[in-house]
Amino acid sequence: MTGKDGWSSSVVETIAGFTAGIATTLCLHPLDLIKTRLQVDRTYSSRVGGSLRIIRQIFHDEGGLAAFYRGLTPNIIGNSTSWALYFLLYGDIKDAISNWRLRHSPKDGSQPQQLTSSDYFIASGTAGALTSVLTNPIWVIKTRMLATGSKSPGAYTSFITGAVQILRSEGLPGFYRGLVPSLFGVSHGALQFMAYEKLKLYRTRVSLLDTEESASSRATAAERKRELNNLDFFVTSSISKIFAGSITYPYQVLRSRLQTYDAHIAYRGLQDAIAQIWVTEGLGGFYKGLGPNLFRVLPSTWVTFLVYENTRSYLPRRLLGS
């Protein structure tokens, strides 16, 4: 679909998602590294101060501040590619659902029904599943690089080295370790985007009503309507992320455990990983890394959605002004 400004909506969504992914990763990679180290830690219980212990260990034993950016390349590749694919697919699936509703709308001249919460859930869930399958090999390499220091035995020295070693030692199946819990994690994105879209619609309606009440009766609807601003995106993205994250976090721990170097030795599969964590670490084992994840996830969400929404809005205006 191409708008009046000549920009394909698919191109805009892809560029906006790609830009958001890069910006988020550059800002928050160290927190991602700390979270991953905590997730793959197999000690019997989650300890208070675990994040500080990991930080001190990385700084003193692995080369200072530079060590906190180990695995940056696969993280940038993974996040930028994932967000670009996700927003491209998400936008196309929403358009397909909207077009289907338009074709099947009543012929009495009434407006076609707006997308429902279920529609947003289906669109985001489908986009997430396809994105997970296409990008899982990148996340396997990223997890392994973040889980160990560069001086650890057998540690990958680069993204390409990791890919070659996995292909040689594990074959193509090695690139899809942790895919099952990743697909479970699709529910996180589906819940988040369902809440995000509905909150945006709610905020738009509230803003329009407030403006209509204060505007003169002669003002047109177009004059009264205002676009959502950065504060609106900040609030709606925060609420939707907390809502989804509070429900689905354990899948991230399971995915990280199954993507480590020795996962095939430590666990016989997803069910065995769940059983071992439950027996040796208890319920808290499924929430390891939650602290740094909370510190990381909200800033990450703010950067991602603010960059995405502003890029998506800026690109068509830039073309019209050029």
Side-chain angles (χ1 to χ4, degrees), residues 36-37 58 66 96 142 144 148 155 165 265 272:
T36 300
R37 294 289 179 92
I58 294 171
K142 172 249 183 181
R144 293 182 180 186
T148 58
Q165 288 191 28
I265 299 173
D272 186 45

Side-chain angles (χ1 to χ4, degrees), residues 3 26 43 55 61 66 73 78 87 98 119 181 202 213 228 236 318:
L26 289 174
T43 53
I55 291 171
D61 300 341
T73 297
F87 281 116
S98 295
D119 294 329
Y202 172 77
E213 289 176 359
L228 297 183
T236 54
R318 177 63 178 170

Side-chain angles (χ1 to χ4, degrees), residues 181-200:
S182 290
L183 292 176
F184 287 150
V186 167
S187 62
H188 175 94
L191 289 169
Q192 179 186 354
F193 274 78
M194 178 186 73
Y196 181 69
E197 295 284 7
K198 297 305 288 185
L199 286 168
K200 281 204 305 182

Side-chain angles (χ1 to χ4, degrees), residues 268-284:
R268 294 191 299 273
L270 177 61
Q271 290 184 337
D272 186 45
I274 294 172
Q276 286 195 43
I277 293 172
W278 178 260
V279 170
T280 60
E281 303 167 50
L283 181 62

